[in-house]
Amino acid sequence: MRWIITLVICSTLGSVLLFPIFGPSVPLGLALVGVGPFLSMYGVSLWLNAKGLPLPATNLYLWGTFIGQLFVVYLVPELRTQALVSFVNLMLCAGFLKGQRSAVSIGIASLLAVTGSYIFGPLSIAWLPSIPTSNSWATVCVLSTLSTTCGLT
């Protein structure tokens, strides 16, 4: 569990460090708004695991990431590809950490989320801030997620 979350934290931080190089038109602080909740959740998962609570840590990591990626899919359509790759990673992680039943559960939830995002399209929710992105940022996010996939396999 610890090595998976550490891998995800490293790839997420790596993408944040690359944002100013590939996406100078968007402030770094804005990038942190997008990844901050994920990094916080991963930190809590590591802490729970270190306290001897691997099941809550695993559930928080898997379902917290899933819910976070739902926001990405529906609110930041430019990063949809990254979210789709992340869903694949979640299925891999669920299988490694909790077995086939969890992998299938995450897989079904991911299929429904992806299908819904194409049926309903991006949602416009006035109270949520829009996070502007660029093609280069989207590329950095996909590369970061793919590097995590390499580390998982």
Side-chain angles (χ1 to χ4, degrees), residues 36-108:
F38 286 98
L39 289 173
S40 299
M41 176 192 47
Y42 300 150
V44 171
S45 293
L46 274 177
W47 178 78
L48 286 170
N49 191 56
K51 291 290 184 186
L53 301 167
L55 187 60
T58 302
N59 287 333
L60 175 63
Y61 166 70
L62 292 173
W63 291 106
T65 301
F66 176 81
I67 291 167
Q69 290 301 340
L70 282 181
F71 279 98
V72 172
V73 165
Y74 284 100
L75 298 176
V76 191
E78 296 86 3
L79 299 182
R80 182 183 285 169
T81 302
Q82 179 274 334
L84 299 178
V85 176
S86 182
F87 286 142
V88 173
N89 284 350
L90 282 175
M91 286 183 270
L92 286 169
C93 288
F96 292 150
L97 297 171
K98 294 184 70 183
Q100 185 178 12
R101 182 176 282 173
S102 275
V104 169
S105 297
I106 291 275
I108 290 170

Side-chain angles (χ1 to χ4, degrees), residues 13-30:
L13 287 173
S15 67
V16 169
L17 295 175
L18 291 174
F19 282 155
I21 297 167
F22 290 96
S25 62
V26 180
L28 182 61
L30 199 52

